[in-house]
Amino acid sequence: MISKPKIISALIGTFILFSILVKAEIILFSLNDYKQTSTNDLQQIEKLIQNGQWQKAYAASNKILLGDSKSSIALFIRNTSRQILFLESKAGESLSIYSYPFSHDIASQHLNHWIDSLCMADNSNINFLILKGAYQVLGKHAFTEAIVTFEKILKLDSNNVFALVSSGAYFGGNGQLVEAKRLLERVIQLKPDCASAYTNLGMLAMSKNNSSKAEEYFKKATSLRSADAMDWFNLGSLYYLQKKYQNARIALDKAVLFSPDNVEAHYNLAGICYFLNDTQASIKHLKAVIKIGYNSPYYSPAKQNLEQLGVK
C-alpha cells in the first residue's frame, strides 16, 4: 500500500520576517556589479528614497534592471520598494517580496557600503534607516542588528508601520510573543488593512495552538491581499492541521495559482489530494515537484510516491 505523502506545514517552527517570503531566488553577481550602476542612476535613486518616493524608486530600479539585470543595488531597491508598497496598500496584485541570499563577495560588500554611506550622511532619515534594516534582514540575515535599526526608526516615528511589523515578526520568531502581539496589534490600530500584521498574528496564534484565532487572522489576510501565495499557503496548511482537507485543497490551489513554482505547496497538495482519493490530481502535483523541485527536500519522497503509484 502506498505511503501517504508527508504534509509539511510552513506554520510549524517557522516565522518569516515580513511574512511574505514565497521563494528564494539565487542571484549570481559579477565582480564589477557595483560599478555597472551609473553615478546618475544612484543619485536619482538616493534622492527618491530620501524623500520616501518608493513607487518612483521601484520604477527607477526596474529601468536600471532592463539594461543590467545583475545590478545588486537595483535588485535590492526593487525588492525593498515592493515591500514598502506592499505594506502601504491592500496589494490588489501579488507583490510578495522575493528574498535572495547574498554571498559575501564584492557585490554585497559594495551594497552594504553604499547603504552605510547613506545613513552616515543623514542618520536621522527614516527611509535610509528602512533601507538599512531591510538589508540587514535580507542581505546579511543579521536579525539582531536589524532590530536595533528598527528601534531607531521607532524612536524617530513611533507609528512607522514597516518597523512595527518587522519588529513584531522578529519578536514572534524569537519567542517573545507578548511583545510581538503588542506591536502587531498596534499596526492594526494604525492601519486596519495591513495584511502582514494579520499574517504574523495568525502565526502567533498557531504557536499558542489557537487554531480558530489563527484561521480568523489568515482569512483576514487573504481577504486583504487575495493574490498573495504565502497567505493562501498559510491558510491551507492550517486547514490541513484542522483536517479540513477540502478547504485545504482550495486554499493551496490558490497558493500554486499565484506561485506556480511553490514546491512545498505542490507537495502538500499531492498529499491532500491523496487523502481525498483524487489520485490523478496527486500525481499531477507530485510531477510538479519533480519538475521544479530538484534541489528541494521534497524531490526524493515525491519520486518515491510516484513509483508507488506506478508512475515512472
Side-chain angles (χ1 to χ4, degrees):
M1 180 178 179
I2 182 174
S3 60
K4 294 183 175 68
K6 182 181 179 183
I7 304 296
I8 307 295
S9 172
L11 306 175
I12 305 302
T14 301
F15 203 97
I16 300 171
L17 196 61
F18 305 132
S19 302
I20 53 176
L21 175 62
V22 176
K23 69 174 184 179
E25 179 181 344
I26 299 176
I27 306 293
L28 298 177
F29 299 103
S30 68
L31 294 179
N32 294 320
D33 176 61
Y34 178 77
K35 296 177 183 178
Q36 291 171 354
T37 305
S38 72
T39 301
N40 288 339
D41 286 336
L42 281 178
Q43 289 177 342
Q44 179 192 17
I45 284 180
E46 288 171 8
K47 192 69 174 178
L48 292 172
I49 293 171
Q50 184 177 27
N51 296 327
Q53 296 176 287
W54 294 103
Q55 184 70 57
K56 290 184 177 180
Y58 177 72
S61 61
N62 269 334
K63 184 178 179 180
I64 293 170
L65 289 169
L66 288 174
D68 176 13
S69 63
K70 293 183 179 180
S71 168
S72 60
I73 289 179
L75 280 166
F76 180 71
I77 296 303
R78 181 192 67 177
N79 287 350
T80 303
S81 299
R82 284 166 56 153
Q83 173 63 28
I84 302 302
L85 295 170
F86 192 80
L87 289 173
E88 290 179 350
S89 70
K90 292 185 178 180
E93 60 175 314
S94 181
L95 290 174
S96 295
I97 195 168
Y98 289 104
S99 175
Y100 48 88
F102 282 84
S103 58
H104 294 289
D105 58 14
I106 193 71
S108 61
Q109 290 171 16
H110 274 132
L111 180 54
N112 187 38
H113 175 75
W114 177 65
I115 293 171
D116 281 346
S117 68
L118 294 180
C119 292
M120 288 176 64
D122 187 354
N123 61 13
S124 63
N125 186 283
I126 287 178
N127 297 305
F128 288 162
L129 288 172
I130 286 175
L131 206 62
K132 183 175 182 177
Y135 177 73
Q136 287 167 331
V137 171
L138 297 176
K140 297 172 67 177
H141 304 291
F143 301 109
T144 53
E145 290 181 24
I147 198 65
V148 173
T149 302
F150 298 147
E151 287 172 353
K152 288 181 180 178
I153 295 171
L154 291 172
K155 284 181 180 179
L156 294 168
D157 177 10
S158 61
N159 294 334
N160 187 275
V161 171
F162 176 88
L164 288 169
V165 171
S166 301
S167 298
Y170 169 82
F171 287 121
N174 219 31
Q176 297 168 266
L177 305 185
V178 174
E179 179 64 4
K181 187 179 182 202
R182 182 187 72 80
L183 291 168
L184 294 168
E185 288 182 341
R186 172 66 177 154
V187 173
I188 291 175
Q189 290 176 348
L190 295 168
K191 187 172 176 54
D193 60 355
C194 181
S196 292
Y198 290 104
T199 298
N200 279 302
L201 283 168
M203 290 182 174
L204 288 181
M206 283 298 299
S207 69
K208 296 179 180 179
N209 296 316
N210 189 342
S211 60
S212 61
K213 197 67 177 176
E215 181 180 356
E216 177 186 331
Y217 286 134
F218 288 147
K219 287 174 74 173
K220 180 67 174 179
T222 58
S223 72
L224 289 170
R225 52 184 186 203
S226 60
D228 185 74
M230 184 52 72
D231 286 333
W232 287 110
F233 182 83
N234 287 340
L235 184 59
S237 298
L238 172 63
Y239 281 142
Y240 165 73
L241 294 175
Q242 294 175 326
K243 301 187 186 303
K244 299 177 181 178
Y245 298 129
Q246 193 59 54
N247 287 347
R249 181 177 184 176
I250 292 170
L252 289 172
D253 274 340
K254 291 187 177 182
V256 297
L257 172 66
F258 297 121
S259 181
D261 54 355
N262 189 325
V263 177
E264 195 169 14
H266 279 292
Y267 190 71
N268 287 0
L269 272 168
I272 289 169
C273 290
Y274 188 76
F275 292 152
L276 294 173
N277 297 314
D278 190 343
T279 305
Q280 291 306 308
S282 182
I283 290 172
K284 180 186 76 171
H285 290 294
L286 288 171
K287 285 184 175 180
V289 173
I290 298 299
K291 181 178 179 180
I292 63 178
Y294 181 78
N295 293 319
S296 80
Y298 310 107
Y299 180 86
S300 292
K303 192 173 182 180
Q304 291 171 5
N305 277 294
L306 281 173
E307 290 173 354
Q308 290 174 328
L309 287 167
V311 178
K312 296 182 179 181

